[in-house]
Amino acid sequence: MAADRKFRVVVVGAGIAGLFIAEKLKRAGIDFTVYEKADEVGGTWRDNTYPGLFVDVMSRQYEFPFQPNYDWSRKYAPAPEIQAYIKKVAADRGLRQYIRFNEEIVAALFKDGRWHVKTAKGETDMADVFVAATGFLNQPTYPDIEGRDSFAGPAFHSARWDHSVPHKGKRWGIIGSGCSGVQITEALAWEGAQVTQFIRRAQWIHIRENPRTSWLHRMWLRLPFAYRREQRKLWTFINVMDRWRLEPGPQREAMQREFASYLDAIKDPELKKKLTPQYHLGCTRIPKSDQNYYQAVQTPNVRIENRAIARIVPEGVELRDGTLCKLDVLVYATGFDTHAFMRPMKVTGLNGVTVDEVWKERIYSYGGVALPGFPNLYMLYGPFSPVNNVPVPLGLDQEIGFIMRLIKRARDEGVVIAPSAEATRKFVDRLDNAFPGTVWVGCKNWYSDQHGTPILWPLTQDEHRAFFEREATGDLEIVPVGRAVAASAGAN
Ligand SMILES: Cc1cc2nc3c(=O)[nH]c(=O)nc-3n(C[C@H](O)[C@H](O)[C@H](O)COP(=O)(O)OP(=O)(O)OC[C@H]3O[C@@H](n4cnc5c(N)ncnc54)[C@H](O)[C@@H]3O)c2cc1C
């Protein structure tokens, strides 16, 4: 690297992942800029403001390890509290000054040993390292239903909630039975709105208590060592409790029985049948119900509709058997493009090869964080990250610890670093071999690619930590910047 210029990092995205690595870069004294296409931090928690959204892991598991929050109001905090906490972290840590809001990155090209980054406004920036913290549930998807644009009333995605629409006195149609569909249906039901939830298939739903945190407990957490002791207990507990996802056995059977027993709260056998899943527990992401969904759907103002939708018409939703469900408001709780990862950014690595090209047959990565042929590029929560069995902040902590070591090495030694193709193949093989016997195989779910292979971490969180803490030099191609310049010459 030329001595006359500063080593720089560009981070894309100011959700929890982008802020997490921003704090680490700041502490390491590395020059960096975060580009955020929206006008605020928070990502998921900024975009999803629908009624009934609570965090699905314990609030205390959803903290940046460098900024404890002793004051969560509930065991599972409501979404506005999570967003307020994220904004507070950004402000307390002085991270906002590094963020360029309303700036979408549309392309990144590795050329002459550096990343050349282009914004939607046509500006360019350059960096030694490019970090995509773009989220795995960031691009809303809409169902391919005839007549979608013809609906006469307000219609919006769950991640784009229209707060100008009053809840009561309206006939709501909620399309979708995943986490968002369940939470919205129960919240609107208890508010007394008329709700029809259109479900293609039933989900296993975790009916749980969500107690307020006591004043005493909040004070206790503030005591020296108490917080750390409590967090340690929490991680140990999760490690043990989550094993049922990875291997068959009595723990999995007990979980399956427990979830089936929640359905016993439904009195009407027809309704119970509609809401009983036909696949095993854990295969899809489990919606968490904090306001007792199974009671909510038995109120007279709620209807569960599992007949197929034929089309959307101005007055509502028409079913295949000709029934018209009249509606005033339509909500698409239809999820996200879970396989976009860094895209639609056009990311071009060595020899002019793009991410779209290398992922054409199969989406893969090294450790969920890097790609062979894309030097000094890192993804946070990229393909094969633990989206299901490790709380996201903990998974990020492990990924970022590894990435920061490599970034510092690139800076100190003037090198570019990428995983070798061989190490990446071994990593993917290891994970592929771990899937049989886990809960994620054997049903259709959003984790799986076009070949039916889930793209998540199918091992324990201890194994995730061990992967990132080990000395990985043997897996990496480490090349002086000068040689990388030659390799990327001609890219444009
Ligand atoms: C409704 C919902 C509920 C969830 N609940 C939970 C939960 O309870 N527990 C849990 O562990 N996880 C939950 N998740 C998963 C959640 O997405 C992660 O926990 C976490 O918030 C991801 O953070 P992130 O920073 O990686 O991504 P995001 O929060 O998606 O942030 C990515 C950011 O990058 C920005 N960005 C993307 N592309 C570009 C670009 N090209 N240029 C500039 N900026 C860009 C986006 O605007 C966004 O701000 C939930 C997700 C959803 C959608």
Side-chain angles (χ1 to χ4, degrees):
M1 188 176 75
D4 57 344
R5 68 169 174 79
K6 240 181 171 180
F7 181 90
R8 286 195 77 227
V9 178
V10 156
V11 178
V12 189
I16 62 167
L19 294 174
F20 201 138
I21 197 159
E23 172 64 10
K24 297 288 177 179
L25 290 165
K26 186 194 82 183
R27 284 188 196 186
I30 293 172
D31 186 35
F32 71 97
T33 302
V34 180
Y35 287 88
E36 169 53 60
K37 66 181 175 185
D39 60 1
E40 187 47 274
V41 299
T44 289
W45 305 98
R46 174 198 66 225
D47 293 345
N48 290 272
T49 58
Y50 61 75
L53 175 55
F54 290 80
V55 67
D56 67 7
V57 294
M58 281 185 225
S59 317
R60 276 183 25 233
Q61 295 167 339
Y62 210 79
E63 291 176 6
F64 295 93
F66 50 81
Q67 186 153 336
N69 180 16
Y70 309 116
D71 290 321
W72 297 116
S73 66
R74 290 184 179 274
K75 186 172 179 184
Y76 309 103
E81 240 178 82
I82 301 280
Q83 174 63 353
Y85 165 70
I86 295 173
K87 282 169 76 172
K88 183 170 184 320
V89 171
D92 289 357
R93 304 273 149 186
L95 297 176
R96 297 186 81 93
Q97 60 175 304
Y98 299 96
I99 305 171
R100 287 185 59 177
F101 289 105
N102 301 307
E103 290 279 14
E104 180 175 2
I105 300 298
V106 290
L109 165 74
F110 187 74
K111 188 182 168 194
D112 300 335
R114 297 190 93 194
W115 282 97
H116 298 242
V117 176
K118 196 167 155 202
T119 72
K121 293 175 186 159
E123 287 175 25
T124 53
D125 194 355
M126 269 198 271
D128 300 277
V129 177
F130 182 68
V131 179
T134 43
F136 57 93
L137 299 176
N138 183 248
Q139 319 267 354
T141 50
Y142 294 82
D144 187 16
I145 302 175
E146 184 191 324
R148 206 159 57 72
D149 294 333
S150 68
F151 185 64
F156 44 87
H157 193 277
S158 54
R160 303 285 181 270
W161 195 265
D162 181 348
H163 289 275
S164 69
V165 180
H167 296 175
K168 272 187 95 166
K170 300 276 180 201
R171 295 165 302 180
W172 288 77
I174 314 296
I175 299 182
S177 59
C179 300
S180 307
V182 164
Q183 290 178 319
I184 293 167
T185 298
E186 65 181 15
L188 292 178
W190 292 127
E191 286 184 42
Q194 293 290 328
V195 186
T196 304
Q197 187 187 11
F198 297 90
I199 64 170
R200 256 198 319 213
R201 64 174 177 173
Q203 302 273 349
W204 292 108
I205 296 170
H206 186 189
I207 306 291
R208 65 186 188 184
E209 298 284 315
N210 189 3
R212 288 194 168 279
T213 52
S214 72
W215 172 86
L216 201 62
H217 191 69
R218 294 187 208 181
M219 288 302 124
W220 151 251
L221 283 178
R222 287 177 160 83
L223 289 177
F225 306 116
Y227 178 82
R228 256 190 293 159
R229 211 192 78 161
E230 291 282 300
Q231 291 300 87
R232 245 198 325 270
K233 258 176 27 193
L234 211 58
W235 299 134
T236 314
F237 173 76
I238 298 165
N239 243 332
V240 176
M241 287 307 290
D242 246 14
R243 285 222 68 105
W244 67 274
R245 295 182 198 273
L246 307 181
E247 59 203 17
Q251 195 189 15
R252 184 180 292 178
E253 286 156 22
M255 292 294 287
Q256 184 75 65
R257 277 196 302 277
E258 185 181 332
F259 274 68
S261 76
Y262 300 148
L263 281 153
D264 293 339
I266 304 175
K267 300 285 171 276
D268 172 8
E270 264 309 298
L271 182 60
K272 187 174 177 182
K273 197 168 153 213
K274 275 185 193 173
L275 289 174
T276 302
Q278 300 304 313
Y279 57 90
H280 60 271
L281 176 69
C283 193
T284 57
R285 191 170 177 105
I286 298 171
K288 308 287 167 63
S289 164
D290 294 86
Q291 301 177 71
N292 208 325
Y293 175 81
Y294 291 140
Q295 296 297 348
V297 296
Q298 292 180 84
T299 56
N301 44 319
V302 179
R303 204 156 55 101
I304 299 294
E305 186 54 76
N306 66 351
R307 286 174 290 176
I309 294 176
R311 63 189 60 82
I312 292 169
V313 294
E315 309 80 42
V317 165
E318 196 181 298
L319 304 178
R320 286 241 185 94
D321 65 7
T323 310
L324 173 65
C325 307
K326 290 192 174 174
L327 301 169
D328 301 310
V329 192
L330 198 50
V331 177
Y332 298 106
T334 42
F336 301 84
D337 179 354
T338 51
H339 295 154
F341 295 105
M342 299 181 270
R343 299 173 290 182
M345 273 191 301
K346 184 180 178 195
V347 181
T348 311
L350 291 174
N351 306 316
V353 176
T354 65
V355 162
D356 265 341
E357 284 163 345
V358 299
W359 281 352
K360 195 161 176 238
E361 285 305 312
R362 183 176 181 188
I363 296 170
Y364 62 91
S365 74
Y366 171 83
V369 297
L371 268 178
F374 293 80
N376 282 3
L377 172 140
Y378 299 105
M379 295 172 279
L380 294 175
Y381 264 66
F384 291 117
S385 287
V387 297
N388 211 279
N389 53 343
V390 181
V392 171
L394 178 66
L396 282 173
D397 195 26
Q398 294 161 353
E399 292 188 354
I400 289 172
F402 176 80
I403 292 169
M404 284 303 296
R405 287 204 305 280
L406 299 190
I407 291 180
K408 286 178 189 163
R409 190 160 179 188
R411 175 193 62 180
D412 298 344
E413 298 175 20
V415 291
V416 299
I417 303 173
S420 70
E422 178 56 22
T424 305
R425 221 177 352 258
K426 273 195 189 151
F427 169 78
V428 173
D429 283 350
R430 177 181 172 210
L431 267 54
D432 280 351
N433 290 331
F435 280 113
T438 68
V439 290
W440 298 289
V441 287
C443 88
K444 195 168 180 298
N445 56 35
W446 60 251
Y447 314 117
S448 298
D449 65 14
Q450 70 270 36
H451 310 295
T453 309
I455 319 180
L456 50 67
W457 181 258
L459 303 162
T460 64
Q461 33 172 317
D462 280 345
E463 286 163 298
H464 193 255
R465 182 176 41 72
F467 180 84
F468 287 115
E469 282 182 357
R470 96 210 131 91
E471 168 54 53
T473 303
D475 287 358
L476 306 170
E477 284 170 356
I478 301 172
V479 177
V481 173
R483 263 177 55 206
V485 170
S488 61
N492 52 48

